[in-house]
């Protein structure tokens, strides 16, 4: 099965952006806390890490408000695949972030102005409100790392594809991809 690239959209954090890598680094740099990727087994990291939830909140707020300053990096392969895709399609993103501006600036920085012109970005502010935005964009496929979001989307008629991460393993029965090379093979 091949997907029409015009019909696919992407979540940003932990799909396009390596948000967990940045989280781990900020925890170390700003709070002297050692977190390993293997420890992050829940989407809500406060449920799996023995760290003051106030600190976790502060790190995520930092990442929401100033992703560039935090040194947020793209996931491996994401920029190459999106750059190629921009030659023949819009790039559709729906994030649960509350404010589109900081992450739009980040996308502009990592993709460059040329590719960024093809970006359509919606910020829902809510993990459970993505369906409406995905439908408004006319998309039929959506890639996300949050199992509950994917299960909800699938129940509402969208072909959800789970981007494999430790916190979504074994929490769904949906199609998955491991990385951007596998995503690119879908269209
Ligand atoms: Mg995400």
């Amino acid at each position: 099965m091949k997907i029409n690239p015009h019909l696919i959209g992407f979540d940003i954090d932990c799909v396009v952006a390596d948000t967990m890598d940045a989280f781990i680094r900020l925890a170390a740099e700003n709070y002297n806390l050692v977190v390993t990727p293997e420890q992050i087994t829940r989407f809500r990291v406060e449920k799996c890490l023995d760290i003051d939830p106030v600190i976790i909140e502060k790190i995520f707020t930092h990442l929401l408000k100033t992703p560039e300053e935090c040194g947020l990096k793209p996931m491996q392969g994401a920029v190459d695949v999106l750059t190629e895709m921009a030659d023949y399609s819009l790039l559709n993103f729906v994030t649960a972030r509350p404010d589109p501006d900081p992450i739009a600036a980040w996308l502009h920085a990592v993709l460059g102005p040329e590719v960024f012109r093809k970006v359509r970005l919606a910020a829902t502010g809510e993990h459970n409100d993505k369906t409406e935005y995905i439908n408004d964009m006319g998309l039929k496929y959506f890639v996300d790392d949050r199992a509950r979001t994917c299960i909800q989307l699938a129940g509402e008629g969208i072909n959800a594809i789970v981007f494999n991460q430790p916190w979504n393993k074994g929490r769904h029965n949906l199609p998955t991809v491991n990385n951007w090379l596998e995503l690119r093979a879908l269209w």
Side-chain angles (χ1 to χ4, degrees), residues 1-21:
M1 180 196 63
K2 288 285 178 191
I3 292 174
N4 178 343
H6 297 277
L7 300 181
I8 193 167
F10 309 97
D11 173 38
I12 293 184
D13 287 296
C14 302
V15 172
V16 177
D18 198 347
T19 313
M20 270 321 153
D21 167 80

Side-chain angles (χ1 to χ4, degrees), residues 99-120:
D99 179 1
D101 293 344
I103 201 65
W106 180 84
L107 283 169
H108 186 276
V110 301
L111 295 173
E114 193 95 338
V115 174
F116 183 77
R117 252 181 261 138
K118 305 301 275 294
V119 166
R120 289 199 297 176

Side-chain angles (χ1 to χ4, degrees), residues 11-15 19 43 127 130 143-146 167:
D11 173 38
I12 293 184
D13 287 296
C14 302
V15 172
T19 313
F43 182 84
H127 283 296
K130 287 189 173 179
V143 185
D144 206 294
D145 65 293
R146 184 172 178 257
W167 49 91

